[in-house]
Structure formats: structure tokens, C-alpha cells
Amino acid sequence: MRNTARYASLAAAGLLALSSLTACANDAASSTATGSKGDGQGEKVKIMVGGLDKVIYLPAMLTQQLGYFDAEGLDVELLSEPAGVQAETALVSGQVQGAVGFYDHTLDLQVKGKSVESVVQFSHAPGEVEMVSNKAVGDITSPKDFKGRKLGVTGLGSSTDFLTKYLAVKNGVKVSEFTPVAVGAGPTFIAALQKGAIDGGMTTDPTVATILDKKAGKILLDMRTPEGSQKALGGPYPSSSLYMQTDWVNGHKDTVQKMANAFVKTLKWMSTHSAAEIAAKMPADYSQGDKTLYTEAIKSTLPMFTDDGVMPTNGPETVEKVLKAFNPNIQNADVDLAKTYTTEFVNAAK
């Protein structure tokens, strides 16, 4: 992201207290990472992404880089927030027409009285990795050891927060028995891990690849593949997606169809090209000066993506099970899963 250098300088200055880390993430909020302007005559759509440089949300920028938005006659502006929960907030407040973030927010929002649906499902696995600091690696060998620990998440109420709580509860640790710490991603996450502000945490590529390259920590759980999702969560876990307010979708079906056309074309393109070819299409600064490491990050995460944008069978049920394990609002609610996603547009795109 454009703020990477700034994050790094803050970390180097020693501002590693939780309040500082959270402030850094908030300072980055609402930054305009890029805008697809084309000839300026297309239909205008603003999309907030929960971290444009995260590989799990790669289809957003890649679609723009491939020119597929322009080809559909769309003028798409991509904005970036450091955490998916902030992208959700931007959507429901009407700042943007779409959000690229985790599907699980649609369930969480439904029980809060907000009608939001996934219209293109990018993935069938979380793409997340639970990392452990070198100092704690001998003491944290499974989520059973989360008790009493400080665990990094991108933001409180984010999908990394949700998944961390589920892994804890599933393994006999109460939500009240560990401390989630909002540390964002990238340099702020890595600095927190190195300085002991967190014992471990959940993050994605390219942060994972950088941690391993710096030998700053080790992998505890890898959920970048369907197999990893099955092992950790008990089924496919639809995560990164384009989701929108249902009323807006119903009132702008032609525009939504064009969005689906563009994204499905990108997912198909990704399924037939190598990680190196994908990396070459992305903005140069996304590699942070190490194209080889960035390519490896994409390669490790590619298995999480669908090739057609369709919601995976039993995926919504897995997500509901995960959220019901720790979220009291959803535990006591009847979620209408059919209203949390639609395949109308991706089926037409095929």
C-alpha cells in the first residue's frame, strides 16, 4: 500500500504500543489507493477493500490492472482500509457501493438488521495463517495454548478476530481468556510480533511470506488451501468476496452484472496463469522491492480462490457454525443464509 513506508518509519521509531499501532491503522483508513478512471464516461462505482495489497483481495486490483472494469464500461474507484471490518462500515454508511472483504460480515450484519449480500465469491478458504513469534513458538503449539496470550488481529470485529475466537473456543479456550490486539497487517503486524506486543496472530500474504523470510515467526495453522480450511474449520470457508447492500443490488442490476462479469473474467484468468504472471500485472510497489518473495506469497495463496465466483457448496453453513461458536448475537438468531449471497450474477457471467 501507499502507506507502507510510513508504517515502517513509525515502527522503526519505536511506536509499538497498542495505542500507537491502532492509531497507525486508523490513520491509513479511507486512503485512496487507486482509481480506475478509463475515459471518465463509465458508470461510477466506489469499492472499499479491506487492504488492497493483501493477496486475499488480489482480484480487486488485478481486475483493474487487466482492464476488465473499463471493458465493461465501468468507472471503478478502489479505496483501501486496513481491515475488513472498516470496509464493512464504509459500505453500510453509504460511502461506497461495494466492499471487498470476508463473506462472514453478511451474516453478522443480517442479525444487526442490515441486508447485505455477497455477489461474487472470490474464495473457498480463508487465506489466513496463524503465526507464532519465535519467543512463543515452544509454548504455543496449538490453539489450546491461546489462554493468557496476546494475539494479533487486523482489527477488533474483523474476520481475523472472528476466526481467532473460533479456533480458541473450538479448542477449549474461552474468548475472555486471551487478548485480541488490533495490529493491522504488514509492517505493523511484523513489528508487534518482533517486539513482543503480541505472542502470535492471524494474518495473510504478503505479510506471512515476509515474516518467514525475516525468520520473525513460524506458522501454527495454515488456512490458505481448501484442505487447510477443512482441517481447521471443518469445511469450505468462503472468505474474500464482493458484497453489497441488497437494496442497491436490486436497484442497479445492470451495473452489478457488469461488476460480476469483470470479476469472473479475472478469476478465470488467475486459474490459467502462474503466480509470476499474476505478480507481473500488479502495481510495482506491491512487491515492496522483492518480486521473488511477492510471487511466492501469491503462489501460496492461489489455492484459496474460486475460478467462477460461485459460492462453494456448504460454505455458508461452515461460516454460520464458526460464528455461532462464539458470537452471542448469532448464537441466538435465526440467520437466513439464502439472503447473505446470490449466484444470479456470476451464473449469468459464465
PDB file of all heavy atoms in Angstrom, residues 22-55:
ATOM      1  N   THR A  22      -2.729   0.852  16.750  1.00  0.00           N
ATOM      2  CA  THR A  22      -4.102   1.062  16.320  1.00  0.00           C
ATOM      3  C   THR A  22      -4.252   2.410  15.620  1.00  0.00           C
ATOM      4  O   THR A  22      -4.939   2.531  14.620  1.00  0.00           O
ATOM      5  CB  THR A  22      -5.050   0.982  17.534  1.00  0.00           C
ATOM      6  OG1 THR A  22      -4.836  -0.259  18.212  1.00  0.00           O
ATOM      7  CG2 THR A  22      -6.499   1.089  17.111  1.00  0.00           C
ATOM      8  N   ALA A  23      -3.565   3.416  16.171  1.00  0.00           N
ATOM      9  CA  ALA A  23      -3.633   4.738  15.558  1.00  0.00           C
ATOM     10  C   ALA A  23      -3.067   4.722  14.151  1.00  0.00           C
ATOM     11  O   ALA A  23      -3.602   5.358  13.244  1.00  0.00           O
ATOM     12  CB  ALA A  23      -2.872   5.747  16.417  1.00  0.00           C
ATOM     13  N   CYS A  24      -1.973   3.974  13.970  1.00  0.00           N
ATOM     14  CA  CYS A  24      -1.382   3.875  12.629  1.00  0.00           C
ATOM     15  C   CYS A  24      -2.394   3.298  11.647  1.00  0.00           C
ATOM     16  O   CYS A  24      -2.520   3.782  10.524  1.00  0.00           O
ATOM     17  CB  CYS A  24      -0.143   2.964  12.642  1.00  0.00           C
ATOM     18  SG  CYS A  24       1.244   3.665  13.551  1.00  0.00           S
ATOM     19  N   ALA A  25      -3.086   2.253  12.088  1.00  0.00           N
ATOM     20  CA  ALA A  25      -4.066   1.621  11.205  1.00  0.00           C
ATOM     21  C   ALA A  25      -5.192   2.592  10.876  1.00  0.00           C
ATOM     22  O   ALA A  25      -5.622   2.700   9.738  1.00  0.00           O
ATOM     23  CB  ALA A  25      -4.639   0.362  11.868  1.00  0.00           C
ATOM     24  N   ASN A  26      -5.629   3.344  11.904  1.00  0.00           N
ATOM     25  CA  ASN A  26      -6.711   4.273  11.669  1.00  0.00           C
ATOM     26  C   ASN A  26      -6.292   5.416  10.756  1.00  0.00           C
ATOM     27  O   ASN A  26      -7.081   5.931   9.970  1.00  0.00           O
ATOM     28  CB  ASN A  26      -7.232   4.830  12.998  1.00  0.00           C
ATOM     29  CG  ASN A  26      -7.970   3.792  13.803  1.00  0.00           C
ATOM     30  OD1 ASN A  26      -8.462   2.815  13.257  1.00  0.00           O
ATOM     31  ND2 ASN A  26      -8.047   3.979  15.120  1.00  0.00           N
ATOM     32  N   ASP A  27      -5.023   5.844  10.879  1.00  0.00           N
ATOM     33  CA  ASP A  27      -4.520   6.900  10.009  1.00  0.00           C
ATOM     34  C   ASP A  27      -4.557   6.488   8.551  1.00  0.00           C
ATOM     35  O   ASP A  27      -4.710   7.324   7.656  1.00  0.00           O
ATOM     36  CB  ASP A  27      -3.071   7.258  10.390  1.00  0.00           C
ATOM     37  CG  ASP A  27      -3.002   8.061  11.667  1.00  0.00           C
ATOM     38  OD1 ASP A  27      -4.040   8.569  12.118  1.00  0.00           O
ATOM     39  OD2 ASP A  27      -1.899   8.175  12.224  1.00  0.00           O
ATOM     40  N   ALA A  28      -4.396   5.179   8.327  1.00  0.00           N
ATOM     41  CA  ALA A  28      -4.373   4.682   6.952  1.00  0.00           C
ATOM     42  C   ALA A  28      -5.771   4.560   6.365  1.00  0.00           C
ATOM     43  O   ALA A  28      -5.944   4.424   5.172  1.00  0.00           O
ATOM     44  CB  ALA A  28      -3.695   3.307   6.892  1.00  0.00           C
ATOM     45  N   ALA A  29      -6.782   4.581   7.229  1.00  0.00           N
ATOM     46  CA  ALA A  29      -8.150   4.347   6.781  1.00  0.00           C
ATOM     47  C   ALA A  29      -8.578   5.360   5.742  1.00  0.00           C
ATOM     48  O   ALA A  29      -8.202   6.519   5.771  1.00  0.00           O
ATOM     49  CB  ALA A  29      -9.109   4.408   7.983  1.00  0.00           C
ATOM     50  N   SER A  30      -9.397   4.857   4.831  1.00  0.00           N
ATOM     51  CA  SER A  30     -10.010   5.680   3.796  1.00  0.00           C
ATOM     52  C   SER A  30      -9.021   6.246   2.795  1.00  0.00           C
ATOM     53  O   SER A  30      -9.362   7.149   2.044  1.00  0.00           O
ATOM     54  CB  SER A  30     -10.822   6.825   4.430  1.00  0.00           C
ATOM     55  OG  SER A  30     -11.850   6.300   5.227  1.00  0.00           O
ATOM     56  N   SER A  31      -7.771   5.756   2.786  1.00  0.00           N
ATOM     57  CA  SER A  31      -6.828   6.235   1.786  1.00  0.00           C
ATOM     58  C   SER A  31      -7.254   5.722   0.412  1.00  0.00           C
ATOM     59  O   SER A  31      -7.689   4.593   0.268  1.00  0.00           O
ATOM     60  CB  SER A  31      -5.413   5.740   2.105  1.00  0.00           C
ATOM     61  OG  SER A  31      -5.358   4.340   2.072  1.00  0.00           O
ATOM     62  N   THR A  32      -7.154   6.578  -0.578  1.00  0.00           N
ATOM     63  CA  THR A  32      -7.467   6.167  -1.939  1.00  0.00           C
ATOM     64  C   THR A  32      -6.230   5.529  -2.526  1.00  0.00           C
ATOM     65  O   THR A  32      -5.252   6.204  -2.825  1.00  0.00           O
ATOM     66  CB  THR A  32      -7.893   7.375  -2.790  1.00  0.00           C
ATOM     67  OG1 THR A  32      -9.016   7.993  -2.170  1.00  0.00           O
ATOM     68  CG2 THR A  32      -8.275   6.940  -4.181  1.00  0.00           C
ATOM     69  N   ALA A  33      -6.270   4.208  -2.683  1.00  0.00           N
ATOM     70  CA  ALA A  33      -5.095   3.513  -3.191  1.00  0.00           C
ATOM     71  C   ALA A  33      -4.981   3.665  -4.696  1.00  0.00           C
ATOM     72  O   ALA A  33      -3.905   3.695  -5.240  1.00  0.00           O
ATOM     73  CB  ALA A  33      -5.146   2.036  -2.814  1.00  0.00           C
ATOM     74  N   THR A  34      -6.115   3.739  -5.351  1.00  0.00           N
ATOM     75  CA  THR A  34      -6.080   3.859  -6.809  1.00  0.00           C
ATOM     76  C   THR A  34      -7.460   4.185  -7.316  1.00  0.00           C
ATOM     77  O   THR A  34      -8.439   4.045  -6.613  1.00  0.00           O
ATOM     78  CB  THR A  34      -5.586   2.563  -7.465  1.00  0.00           C
ATOM     79  OG1 THR A  34      -5.448   2.781  -8.865  1.00  0.00           O
ATOM     80  CG2 THR A  34      -6.541   1.429  -7.245  1.00  0.00           C
ATOM     81  N   GLY A  35      -7.549   4.598  -8.540  1.00  0.00           N
ATOM     82  CA  GLY A  35      -8.847   4.836  -9.149  1.00  0.00           C
ATOM     83  C   GLY A  35      -8.794   4.427 -10.602  1.00  0.00           C
ATOM     84  O   GLY A  35      -7.848   4.759 -11.300  1.00  0.00           O
ATOM     85  N   SER A  36      -9.799   3.691 -11.051  1.00  0.00           N
ATOM     86  CA  SER A  36      -9.879   3.307 -12.455  1.00  0.00           C
ATOM     87  C   SER A  36     -10.747   4.329 -13.153  1.00  0.00           C
ATOM     88  O   SER A  36     -11.954   4.318 -13.022  1.00  0.00           O
ATOM     89  CB  SER A  36     -10.488   1.911 -12.589  1.00  0.00           C
ATOM     90  OG  SER A  36     -10.728   1.603 -13.938  1.00  0.00           O
ATOM     91  N   LYS A  37     -10.129   5.218 -13.889  1.00  0.00           N
ATOM     92  CA  LYS A  37     -10.882   6.328 -14.460  1.00  0.00           C
ATOM     93  C   LYS A  37     -11.290   6.081 -15.905  1.00  0.00           C
ATOM     94  O   LYS A  37     -12.246   6.629 -16.384  1.00  0.00           O
ATOM     95  CB  LYS A  37     -10.041   7.615 -14.378  1.00  0.00           C
ATOM     96  CG  LYS A  37      -9.660   7.992 -12.944  1.00  0.00           C
ATOM     97  CD  LYS A  37     -10.875   8.161 -12.065  1.00  0.00           C
ATOM     98  CE  LYS A  37     -10.500   8.542 -10.638  1.00  0.00           C
ATOM     99  NZ  LYS A  37     -11.630   8.575  -9.745  1.00  0.00           N
ATOM    100  N   GLY A  38     -10.505   5.263 -16.628  1.00  0.00           N
ATOM    101  CA  GLY A  38     -10.826   4.989 -18.017  1.00  0.00           C
ATOM    102  C   GLY A  38     -10.977   6.293 -18.780  1.00  0.00           C
ATOM    103  O   GLY A  38     -10.174   7.197 -18.659  1.00  0.00           O
ATOM    104  N   ASP A  39     -12.037   6.427 -19.580  1.00  0.00           N
ATOM    105  CA  ASP A  39     -12.265   7.663 -20.316  1.00  0.00           C
ATOM    106  C   ASP A  39     -13.155   8.628 -19.547  1.00  0.00           C
ATOM    107  O   ASP A  39     -13.532   9.690 -20.048  1.00  0.00           O
ATOM    108  CB  ASP A  39     -12.895   7.353 -21.682  1.00  0.00           C
ATOM    109  CG  ASP A  39     -14.235   6.615 -21.552  1.00  0.00           C
ATOM    110  OD1 ASP A  39     -14.713   6.474 -20.415  1.00  0.00           O
ATOM    111  OD2 ASP A  39     -14.787   6.218 -22.592  1.00  0.00           O
ATOM    112  N   GLY A  40     -13.475   8.231 -18.289  1.00  0.00           N
ATOM    113  CA  GLY A  40     -14.260   9.107 -17.443  1.00  0.00           C
ATOM    114  C   GLY A  40     -15.750   9.055 -17.733  1.00  0.00           C
ATOM    115  O   GLY A  40     -16.532   9.764 -17.114  1.00  0.00           O
ATOM    116  N   GLN A  41     -16.169   8.222 -18.688  1.00  0.00           N
ATOM    117  CA  GLN A  41     -17.569   8.183 -19.102  1.00  0.00           C
ATOM    118  C   GLN A  41     -18.300   6.956 -18.568  1.00  0.00           C
ATOM    119  O   GLN A  41     -19.491   6.814 -18.817  1.00  0.00           O
ATOM    120  CB  GLN A  41     -17.651   8.206 -20.637  1.00  0.00           C
ATOM    121  CG  GLN A  41     -16.998   9.413 -21.286  1.00  0.00           C
ATOM    122  CD  GLN A  41     -17.578  10.731 -20.792  1.00  0.00           C
ATOM    123  OE1 GLN A  41     -18.784  10.897 -20.764  1.00  0.00           O
ATOM    124  NE2 GLN A  41     -16.718  11.646 -20.370  1.00  0.00           N
ATOM    125  N   GLY A  42     -17.609   6.063 -17.896  1.00  0.00           N
ATOM    126  CA  GLY A  42     -18.233   4.832 -17.435  1.00  0.00           C
ATOM    127  C   GLY A  42     -19.114   5.044 -16.218  1.00  0.00           C
ATOM    128  O   GLY A  42     -19.126   6.111 -15.605  1.00  0.00           O
ATOM    129  N   GLU A  43     -19.851   3.996 -15.851  1.00  0.00           N
ATOM    130  CA  GLU A  43     -20.683   4.041 -14.656  1.00  0.00           C
ATOM    131  C   GLU A  43     -19.785   4.060 -13.425  1.00  0.00           C
ATOM    132  O   GLU A  43     -18.930   3.205 -13.268  1.00  0.00           O
ATOM    133  CB  GLU A  43     -21.599   2.817 -14.621  1.00  0.00           C
ATOM    134  CG  GLU A  43     -22.578   2.746 -15.774  1.00  0.00           C
ATOM    135  CD  GLU A  43     -23.369   1.456 -15.752  1.00  0.00           C
ATOM    136  OE1 GLU A  43     -24.078   1.210 -14.755  1.00  0.00           O
ATOM    137  OE2 GLU A  43     -23.259   0.678 -16.708  1.00  0.00           O
ATOM    138  N   LYS A  44     -20.003   5.033 -12.567  1.00  0.00           N
ATOM    139  CA  LYS A  44     -19.138   5.213 -11.400  1.00  0.00           C
ATOM    140  C   LYS A  44     -19.515   4.263 -10.269  1.00  0.00           C
ATOM    141  O   LYS A  44     -20.682   4.188  -9.864  1.00  0.00           O
ATOM    142  CB  LYS A  44     -19.258   6.663 -10.901  1.00  0.00           C
ATOM    143  CG  LYS A  44     -18.381   6.979  -9.704  1.00  0.00           C
ATOM    144  CD  LYS A  44     -16.916   7.021 -10.077  1.00  0.00           C
ATOM    145  CE  LYS A  44     -16.062   7.445  -8.892  1.00  0.00           C
ATOM    146  NZ  LYS A  44     -14.633   7.507  -9.251  1.00  0.00           N
ATOM    147  N   VAL A  45     -18.532   3.512  -9.770  1.00  0.00           N
ATOM    148  CA  VAL A  45     -18.726   2.617  -8.629  1.00  0.00           C
ATOM    149  C   VAL A  45     -17.525   2.744  -7.709  1.00  0.00           C
ATOM    150  O   VAL A  45     -16.380   2.648  -8.150  1.00  0.00           O
ATOM    151  CB  VAL A  45     -18.873   1.138  -9.068  1.00  0.00           C
ATOM    152  CG1 VAL A  45     -19.105   0.256  -7.841  1.00  0.00           C
ATOM    153  CG2 VAL A  45     -20.012   0.967 -10.055  1.00  0.00           C
ATOM    154  N   LYS A  46     -17.789   2.981  -6.435  1.00  0.00           N
ATOM    155  CA  LYS A  46     -16.724   3.017  -5.437  1.00  0.00           C
ATOM    156  C   LYS A  46     -16.727   1.708  -4.656  1.00  0.00           C
ATOM    157  O   LYS A  46     -17.784   1.260  -4.193  1.00  0.00           O
ATOM    158  CB  LYS A  46     -16.911   4.186  -4.472  1.00  0.00           C
ATOM    159  CG  LYS A  46     -16.645   5.550  -5.071  1.00  0.00           C
ATOM    160  CD  LYS A  46     -16.742   6.634  -4.003  1.00  0.00           C
ATOM    161  CE  LYS A  46     -16.459   8.013  -4.584  1.00  0.00           C
ATOM    162  NZ  LYS A  46     -16.517   9.061  -3.537  1.00  0.00           N
ATOM    163  N   ILE A  47     -15.551   1.101  -4.525  1.00  0.00           N
ATOM    164  CA  ILE A  47     -15.419  -0.155  -3.784  1.00  0.00           C
ATOM    165  C   ILE A  47     -14.355   0.022  -2.705  1.00  0.00           C
ATOM    166  O   ILE A  47     -13.233   0.440  -2.991  1.00  0.00           O
ATOM    167  CB  ILE A  47     -15.011  -1.314  -4.705  1.00  0.00           C
ATOM    168  CG1 ILE A  47     -16.069  -1.522  -5.799  1.00  0.00           C
ATOM    169  CG2 ILE A  47     -14.822  -2.598  -3.903  1.00  0.00           C
ATOM    170  CD1 ILE A  47     -15.676  -2.600  -6.794  1.00  0.00           C
ATOM    171  N   MET A  48     -14.719  -0.298  -1.470  1.00  0.00           N
ATOM    172  CA  MET A  48     -13.759  -0.271  -0.369  1.00  0.00           C
ATOM    173  C   MET A  48     -13.211  -1.675  -0.160  1.00  0.00           C
ATOM    174  O   MET A  48     -13.967  -2.642  -0.065  1.00  0.00           O
ATOM    175  CB  MET A  48     -14.430   0.216   0.917  1.00  0.00           C
ATOM    176  CG  MET A  48     -13.457   0.436   2.070  1.00  0.00           C
ATOM    177  SD  MET A  48     -12.312   1.801   1.781  1.00  0.00           S
ATOM    178  CE  MET A  48     -13.376   3.209   2.128  1.00  0.00           C
ATOM    179  N   VAL A  49     -11.903  -1.771  -0.110  1.00  0.00           N
ATOM    180  CA  VAL A  49     -11.218  -3.053   0.048  1.00  0.00           C
ATOM    181  C   VAL A  49     -10.542  -3.091   1.411  1.00  0.00           C
ATOM    182  O   VAL A  49      -9.919  -2.108   1.826  1.00  0.00           O
ATOM    183  CB  VAL A  49     -10.172  -3.256  -1.074  1.00  0.00           C
ATOM    184  CG1 VAL A  49      -9.536  -4.641  -0.960  1.00  0.00           C
ATOM    185  CG2 VAL A  49     -10.813  -3.072  -2.446  1.00  0.00           C
ATOM    186  N   GLY A  50     -10.648  -4.219   2.087  1.00  0.00           N
ATOM    187  CA  GLY A  50     -10.046  -4.352   3.416  1.00  0.00           C
ATOM    188  C   GLY A  50      -8.544  -4.601   3.360  1.00  0.00           C
ATOM    189  O   GLY A  50      -8.029  -5.490   4.038  1.00  0.00           O
ATOM    190  N   GLY A  51      -7.849  -3.815   2.560  1.00  0.00           N
ATOM    191  CA  GLY A  51      -6.398  -3.946   2.391  1.00  0.00           C
ATOM    192  C   GLY A  51      -6.073  -4.313   0.959  1.00  0.00           C
ATOM    193  O   GLY A  51      -5.991  -5.494   0.621  1.00  0.00           O
ATOM    194  N   LEU A  52      -5.901  -3.311   0.108  1.00  0.00           N
ATOM    195  CA  LEU A  52      -5.710  -3.570  -1.325  1.00  0.00           C
ATOM    196  C   LEU A  52      -4.486  -4.417  -1.628  1.00  0.00           C
ATOM    197  O   LEU A  52      -4.465  -5.167  -2.596  1.00  0.00           O
ATOM    198  CB  LEU A  52      -5.611  -2.235  -2.087  1.00  0.00           C
ATOM    199  CG  LEU A  52      -6.867  -1.739  -2.784  1.00  0.00           C
ATOM    200  CD1 LEU A  52      -6.651  -0.339  -3.328  1.00  0.00           C
ATOM    201  CD2 LEU A  52      -7.279  -2.681  -3.903  1.00  0.00           C
ATOM    202  N   ASP A  53      -3.442  -4.284  -0.807  1.00  0.00           N
ATOM    203  CA  ASP A  53      -2.210  -5.016  -1.103  1.00  0.00           C
ATOM    204  C   ASP A  53      -2.203  -6.434  -0.537  1.00  0.00           C
ATOM    205  O   ASP A  53      -1.248  -7.180  -0.731  1.00  0.00           O
ATOM    206  CB  ASP A  53      -0.985  -4.249  -0.601  1.00  0.00           C
ATOM    207  CG  ASP A  53      -0.997  -4.033   0.907  1.00  0.00           C
ATOM    208  OD1 ASP A  53      -2.073  -4.195   1.523  1.00  0.00           O
ATOM    209  OD2 ASP A  53       0.063  -3.692   1.469  1.00  0.00           O
ATOM    210  N   LYS A  54      -3.277  -6.838   0.163  1.00  0.00           N
ATOM    211  CA  LYS A  54      -3.358  -8.202   0.675  1.00  0.00           C
ATOM    212  C   LYS A  54      -3.651  -9.158  -0.476  1.00  0.00           C
ATOM    213  O   LYS A  54      -4.530  -8.903  -1.298  1.00  0.00           O
ATOM    214  CB  LYS A  54      -4.460  -8.329   1.735  1.00  0.00           C
ATOM    215  CG  LYS A  54      -4.215  -7.514   3.002  1.00  0.00           C
ATOM    216  CD  LYS A  54      -5.392  -7.639   3.946  1.00  0.00           C
ATOM    217  CE  LYS A  54      -5.206  -6.766   5.184  1.00  0.00           C
ATOM    218  NZ  LYS A  54      -6.387  -6.830   6.085  1.00  0.00           N
ATOM    219  N   VAL A  55      -2.938 -10.270  -0.512  1.00  0.00           N
ATOM    220  CA  VAL A  55      -3.127 -11.224  -1.609  1.00  0.00           C
ATOM    221  C   VAL A  55      -4.537 -11.811  -1.586  1.00  0.00           C
ATOM    222  O   VAL A  55      -5.097 -12.119  -2.644  1.00  0.00           O
ATOM    223  CB  VAL A  55      -2.057 -12.335  -1.551  1.00  0.00           C
ATOM    224  CG1 VAL A  55      -2.272 -13.358  -2.662  1.00  0.00           C
ATOM    225  CG2 VAL A  55      -0.650 -11.733  -1.672  1.00  0.00           C
TER     226      VAL A  55
END
